[in-house]
Amino acid sequence: MRQNNVYIETYGCQMNVADSEVVMGILKNNGYSITDKPESADVILLNTCSVRDNAEQRIYGRLGNLKKYKDGHPGLVLGILGCMAERLRKDLIEDKKVVDIVIGPDEYRRIPEFIHHAYHGEKGIGVKLSKTETYDDIIPYREDGLSAWISVMRGCDKFCTFCVVPFTRGRERSRSLSSIIEEIKLLSGRGFREVTLLGQNVNSYYDEAGFDFADLLAAAAMVDRKIRVRFTTSHPQDLSDKLLYTIAEHSNLCNYIHLPVQSGSNRILELMNRTYTSEHYLELIDKARKIIPGVSFSTDIISGFPAETLEDHLMTLDVMNKVRYDGAYMFKYSPREGTKAFKMEDDVDEETKSKRLQQIIDLQQRISAEVNQSLVGSNDTVLVEGFSKKSDKYLAGRTDTNKVVVFPAIENVSTGDYVKVKISKSTSATLFGDFIELVDKYSVPGERLTA
Ligand code: 5AD
Ligand code: SF4
């Protein structure tokens, strides 16, 4: 007998994690239950990523793997959601016979309908993109916890020439500020301590009532002083002064900005359609550091974009040396069909791409280690997330600036507490410290509790 059990597996960025929660919300409202065991599922959904070729290859591998569940349960429905669904559409069903339904990011409301038809042997494809869909009224399904992702805007209008996102997720649109604030209030009532506002271009948020991203952050910060507010991903073009001053003003708006630079060469930035120069980017970083003392930065870097010379590559290393990022996500360029860069010649050979990427990774590791070492001896406020990965004699959490801190467990300190910790040791990835005292909560705007 069919139990309507759905198992969902999520790949790619945090937007997909948030989308999977929306999908589960929709399914729950329609009488489905969620299982974490694929072997007991009647429906298996993969929420997929297309941003680089290796992400897609991984999902193809997983599809081959899932065949066994279909053999054991012939009525099982297998669905592909997300960016791969949008990009490959009917090819997915034609090439991969195991797939029954293919649903793009703007058609999730129709999932119950597609599953219903698939139960009756009818395969289905829903990949229409929408200019307005934000799932504003859907309450995402979340387990209780400390940290929640909240998608606040969808799509991207920037059209960086390497990126498939504007094609797979469509045009930018924002949820209403009021619905986001209501969602944070619900999370506050359930004891959540951290929310991360998400968008492919989160700082270009602009709702129909005329509220911009700074307005949204300020309102989010005021809901509950015990809730930290994070956000990602920001585009340098939309990092306004108003936004920087808002972050500085509210103690529970985290001092951490993920600000992808992609390349340090103006020629490559232009070919990428990034709309800024490295000089402009560096000025922005300086300004942010003046307005928000102690702010930390991470970035995304692509190595081996078409026509990238050794000189261009050295400029990227130079920008990394100037900014001294706290962390970075670093990738080899991967040509994506349909993008502008796909028409350019992918002329940096694989070996050179790998070599340059390794140099970027090595440099970043050295910088992260140095930045962390400079924090030894200082105090910081940590939100305790639980025991450390390695031992339950240690607790672990993150600072406002998104650094992982590990410290010896103390009897009356538990998950969800804010504690002041003195940093005693560091590596490129982790800070180690000692407990000083419990911190009650983030206080009034303008006042910072760090050290
Ligand atoms: N090749 C390599 N990296 C890419 N990214 C996006 N598209 C590509 C691509 N075609 C990277 C960018 C972006 C991050 C999410 O993924 O650095 O900021
Ligand atoms: Fe892709 Fe650029 Fe949009 Fe980011 S800003 S999603 S890299 S097109």
Side-chain angles (χ1 to χ4, degrees), residues 261-265 278 281-282 285 289 297 299-303 313-330 356-368 370-371:
V261 67
Q262 312 295 2
S263 167
S265 153
S278 64
Y281 182 92
L282 290 169
I285 295 268
R289 284 190 164 138
F297 287 100
T299 197
D300 292 343
I301 294 174
I302 297 177
S303 159
H313 167 64
L314 294 176
M315 289 179 190
T316 298
L317 299 180
D318 187 50
V319 164
M320 292 172 71
N321 272 316
K322 286 187 169 131
V323 176
R324 293 177 64 76
Y325 292 104
D326 295 77
Y329 301 88
M330 301 155 283
R356 289 180 188 167
L357 179 64
Q358 196 53 50
Q359 287 173 0
I360 289 169
I361 292 171
D362 291 345
L363 174 60
Q364 184 52 45
Q365 200 168 5
R366 205 184 75 218
I367 293 173
S368 296
E370 287 169 6
V371 170

Side-chain angles (χ1 to χ4, degrees), residues 409-430:
I410 306 268
E411 210 172 293
N412 52 4
V413 173
S414 49
T415 302
D417 286 341
Y418 286 102
V419 295
K420 195 193 270 187
V421 171
K422 187 179 178 77
I423 309 302
S424 57
K425 213 172 69 175
S426 71
T427 67
S428 62
T430 313

Side-chain angles (χ1 to χ4, degrees), residues 156-160 162-166 200-201 235 262 274:
C156 180
D157 289 350
K158 290 284 189 286
F159 287 94
C160 301
F162 50 79
C163 187
V164 79
V165 166
Q200 233 74 43
N201 235 310
H235 192 291
Q262 312 295 2
R274 286 294 290 179

